[in-house]
Structures are given as C-alpha cells and as structure tokens.
Amino acid sequence: MPIAVVRPQAGDQVAKIVEIAARFKTPLYPISTGRNWGYGAATPVQRGCTVVDLSDLRAIRFVDEQLGLIELEPGVTQGMLHEFLDTRGLDWMVPVHGGGPDCSLLGNALERGYGLTPTTDHFAALTSLEAVLADGSTYQSPFRKLGLDLIAAAHRWQIGPYVEGLFSQGNFGIVTRATFELQRRPEHVEAFFLRLRDDSQLCAIVESLRTVLADLGGSIAGVNLMNDRRVLSMSRPYPVDQVEPGDIISESLCHQMTASAGISRWTVAGVIHCPTDMRRTVRKLLWRRLPDSVSRPIHMNRRRVRVARAITKRLPIGSRSVLQQIDSIESLLDLADGIPRRVALPLAYWLRGEQPESSAELNPARDGCGLLWYSPLVPMKQEFVEPYVQMVESTCASFGIEPLFTLTTLSDRLFDSTVPILYRPEEPGAIERAHACYAALVAEGIKLGCVPYRMSTRTFAEGETPGTMSEATNLTKQLKDATDPNGLIAPGRYFL
Ligand SMILES: Cc1cc2nc3c(=O)[nH]c(=O)nc-3n(C[C@H](O)[C@H](O)[C@H](O)COP(=O)(O)OP(=O)(O)OC[C@H]3O[C@@H](n4cnc5c(N)ncnc54)[C@H](O)[C@@H]3O)c2cc1C
C-alpha cells in the first residue's frame, strides 16, 4: 500500500516533490498512467511509498514535424497522441500496443513495451529525455543540454556513455519528458493469417520465420503465433458452467469448442507494411519462404475487409461469428496502422464468462481482473520453442491455469512470448495459485534458456525471481547506490 499519491500539475513540481521526499526519507514510486496491467499496475514494490502520478502532465510538442520527432510528457496516452496527429491530418503513426488508448507512451517505453507497428520496440523509439534525480537535480540528455534539440531528438546515442538506458527498467530518476521518433504510416497495410494443424507445423514455421524476417524485415514485423486456447479466448466466452473452480477447460471440451469455432491448433497472424505497388511481391516472397507443409496465407487488407463484410451481411445464417472475425481483423489492421484500440483488453475478463464490449473504457485493475503476464524471451529456434511450449502447457495445467500462448517476433532471432495467467481473485487460494504458477514458469523457463524481458512489481517484492538474476545487475546497483543512496526512487524495482 502506498502512503500517499501526489499528482503534479506541472513538470517543475517534480523536483520539489523529490526534495520534500528526500527531507523526510519517504520513497517515491513514479507512474505515467499506472496502467501496467498484469505487471503490478500502479503498485510500488515496497510498502510506504508515495506514488507520483504524472498523468496530468500531458504536453505534446513537435521538435520537428517533418522529421516526425516529437516530445511527450508522461501523461500523454496513445489515444491523446492519436487525436493530436489525426486533427492535424498528419501521417505519423502512434506506436500502439495491446494495452489500448488509455496507456501512456512514456511509461510503456520505459518498461520496454512493444507493439505491432514497425516501431516494435518502444524504448528503441525514445531518443532523449529529461529526468529529476534522487538529489533533486535534473538530468538532460547531452545534446539537449547543449540546446541542440533537433539532434538530441534524432540521435538516440547522444555522445559519450549511453546513460538514457538507466532510466528504462531502472529507477535512476523520474522522467518528466522524452522525445520519440515516429514512423510514417506506410502506403499499404495488410494482415496475413496461417492455420497450423499441429506442433510439427509450428516448428517448421519457427525455422522459416528467421529467413522471412531477415529477408523481408523492412515490410513484415510483429508476427504472432497463438495456440488454440489463446484464439478461443478472443472468440468465445469462457464456459464457466462446464469448468470446476481451480480447473481448466478439458481437452475434449477445448477440442469441441475450437472445432465449432474453426480454430486450428496454432494460428499465425502477421502484418505487412509496404508501398502499394510492392504488395504482390511481398506476398509472393513471403509464400516462397514459408515451409511446404503449410497452406497458403490468407491476406486481408481494408478493401478485402469491406468486401467480406458486405458479403457476410447478406448471408442468412451463421454470419454473426463471421462478422465478429471481420471486426477483429479490422481492429488488427487499425493497430498495424498506428490507431489505438481496446480489442485485446477483453482477454483480462475472459474467466468471467461474459466478455465486456471492447469499445467500453476498460480497466482490468479497476475492475478486479486477475492477470499476471509471464513474458519470456524465446530464441527463434525449434529446439527452444518445442520444449518451451510443452513446459508452459504442463506447468499452467498443473496449477489449474489456462495455458494461453502468444509468441511474437521481436527480431529475426528472438520471440517474446506472452502468457496471460488469468485467475479469479475472489476465489479462495486463486491469487496464491497464480503467483506459484508464475514463479514455477520463471524457474522452469530459465532451465530451458528462456527468461522474462519484463517483470511485475510483486515479483520483486515477494522474491519470486531466482537469486542469480539479481546478481547480474551488480554494476547498476553500484551506480544506483552512488546516485540514490537512500533508495528514494522506486526502491526494489528491477533489483535496484
Ligand atoms: C490485455 C492487455 C494487453 C496488453 N498488451 C500489451 C502490449 O501489447 N505491449 C505492451 O508493452 N504492454 C501491453 N500490456 C501491458 C500494459 O498495460 C502496458 O505496457 C502499459 O502501457 C503500461 O502502463 P503505463 O503505460 O500506464 O505505464 P506505467 O504503469 O505508468 O509505468 C510502467 C513502469 O514504468 C515506470 N515509470 C513510468 N513512468 C515513469 C517516469 N515518468 N519516470 C520513471 N519511471 C516511470 C513505473 O514505475 C512502472 O514501473 C497489456 C495489458 C493488457 C491487460
């Protein structure tokens, strides 16, 4: 529990807050919008912190509009930036992700979040920053300090040792503003889908994806591989009446449900961004690089979605679920186009049996949803993916947690897998079960060579990380002790 929440109304109030906190030795926990859902939301690691809620700092300023270099304060959300760009008729994309329009850009980038637009890695898009340090002084990226705003915003490495990284998954200061490189919206955006019958086809795809991304990485990014239960969670309500508390959907029921919804063992969904006259070439090159054992991908763009919708509306029966699928494809195209959507959020509510409308203002933390993300990095090699999949499926099942999977390509070498551990907090023992499942996944994953890229605040509070992990950060600990000897800023976060 925090002891207080303060909401500065201007950036220069942050230094004052730090100064008062230092005087009374009260630790601070900064949040941008505090929507770090599944990773602890706005909750500090340690008790007794004052939460510094920066969501009222919402200034947006172009450093250079032609170059797509923009400066944002912490409270700027994906939705606000979208509106800002849209009302000016600009073609720059918001680096969106599944958390939806109410999540900040800065907090997400500092946590190294990622998304579907060509700017997959959000911290990589952050180029310079300004932060209040524990002694109350202000750090500015070197070129920024020299007054060279444009170069500072265009050249992430600045000059000399790269310091900005200390503020990402590090609590070296409270970041009050940062600049980002935006990506121009490509002329053509389309999604492609593949259905895989079994795990052997999954392995074949994993091997081919390395070549697909190495050769076509400029046009194809963010390919998602999802298992049957994960796709089910997006397309059908949870069968609450047919599953005992503490248990998962049985294999036979899962089979029945996926068969009736036309869901295969694995679904591959990816996005193509390219100039319009390259689209056919990219499709052809993609198809050539996929293994012979899989069927041809289905490609959907805005024109095809319109046609599919018009045809489906004329169908007499069974058109509702098809229309739902068309809606999902349209939302995916929006996300790929840099338009924030809430389409992923109903996942957090799945176990309730009734899916909320994704158009409603959803907030899984406020609504008491039980969700923990286990999000390990998995090398893009079948000898890693195959045992990893088996490990997650058996570990989740042994704790009565639905094994829901996504493997998302971060590069042509690495996946980030996201496994949402869903539970009902009101069910006796469910919270402990979910956390025990998380700890087991982390421990078993490390044995296979797969380790989380990001972790929840509770993980650090409860010591759910293997001991050796914290030893890997000895140098940063020394730096933190030197700059924040009293542990004033976000103590305990990421081992610091
Ligand atoms: C269904 C669902 C789907 C999701 N999909 C995605 C996804 O696709 N990609 C993704 O990345 N995330 C995803 N999320 C997770 C999460 O909701 C987002 O990452 C969200 O953007 C994080 O919350 P925030 O932006 O409010 O950051 P905050 O909660 O404000 O901050 C995140 C962290 O950064 C630190 N921090 C924040 N601001 C500052 C600052 N100014 N100075 C110093 N430190 C700071 C905080 O202490 C905290 O540790 C998803 C969540 C759900 C429920």
Side-chain angles (χ1 to χ4, degrees), residues 130-173:
E130 201 171 293
V132 178
L133 306 180
D135 64 1
S137 65
T138 298
Y139 169 80
Q140 288 190 53
S141 297
F143 289 147
R144 205 183 160 98
K145 198 161 171 107
L146 290 173
L148 303 171
D149 271 17
L150 202 149
I151 300 284
H155 188 63
R156 150 181 350 120
W157 306 119
Q158 308 291 315
I159 196 156
Y162 178 67
V163 172
E164 284 57 31
L166 293 174
F167 298 90
S168 140
Q169 294 191 357
N171 35 13
F172 280 76

Side-chain angles (χ1 to χ4, degrees), residues 225-338:
L225 316 178
M226 291 169 282
N227 73 340
D228 43 9
R229 286 178 194 249
R230 180 69 182 89
V231 179
L232 201 58
S233 73
M234 298 191 287
S235 23
R236 290 285 184 275
Y238 194 76
V240 180
D241 302 339
Q242 297 173 69
V243 185
E244 291 293 318
D247 209 347
I248 60 171
I249 302 174
S250 67
E251 277 304 318
S252 61
L253 180 56
C254 178
H255 188 71
Q256 214 179 307
M257 290 175 75
T258 51
S260 80
I263 297 168
S264 45
R265 166 75 176 130
W266 292 93
T267 301
V268 181
V271 175
I272 295 177
H273 291 99
C274 64
T276 306
D277 46 12
M278 267 177 64
R279 70 192 189 284
R280 289 203 181 88
T281 312
V282 176
R283 280 181 207 149
K284 203 165 22 165
L285 294 176
L286 167 67
W287 172 227
R288 275 203 210 134
R289 280 156 183 75
L290 291 175
D292 296 337
S293 57
V294 304
S295 56
R296 226 187 165 92
I298 297 168
H299 292 264
M300 290 298 280
N301 50 40
R302 300 229 181 247
R303 193 184 58 77
R304 291 181 181 190
V305 163
R306 268 197 307 277
V307 174
R309 193 183 291 284
I311 295 173
T312 312
K313 277 188 178 154
R314 290 201 199 128
L315 293 176
I317 45 164
S319 56
R320 218 177 128 241
S321 68
V322 182
L323 278 174
Q324 263 176 356
Q325 283 185 30
I326 294 173
D327 287 345
S328 308
I329 294 171
E330 196 155 32
S331 302
L332 176 66
L333 289 174
D334 282 348
L335 286 175
D337 237 350

Side-chain angles (χ1 to χ4, degrees), residues 29-39 41-42 54 74 78 96-100 102-108 110-115 122 167 170 173-176 344-348 364 371 373 453-454 457 489-490 493-494:
Y29 186 73
I31 56 167
S32 286
T33 45
R35 296 195 159 99
N36 206 9
W37 297 315
Y39 297 104
L54 302 158
Q78 296 182 29
V96 295
H97 62 71
D102 305 314
C103 293
S104 76
L105 289 136
L106 182 59
N108 179 265
L110 293 177
E111 268 296 273
R112 302 187 198 147
Y114 65 90
H122 292 168
F167 298 90
I174 301 183
V175 182
T176 48
L345 288 177
L347 165 73
L371 164 68
W373 287 110
Y453 87 101
R454 170 178 179 182
T457 45
I489 298 173
R493 189 83 174 117
Y494 289 101

Side-chain angles (χ1 to χ4, degrees), residues 378-389 448-450:
V378 182
M380 198 178 285
K381 298 183 98 178
Q382 97 176 46
E383 60 265 37
F384 282 87
V385 171
E386 206 175 12
Y388 168 76
V389 167
L448 299 177
C450 306

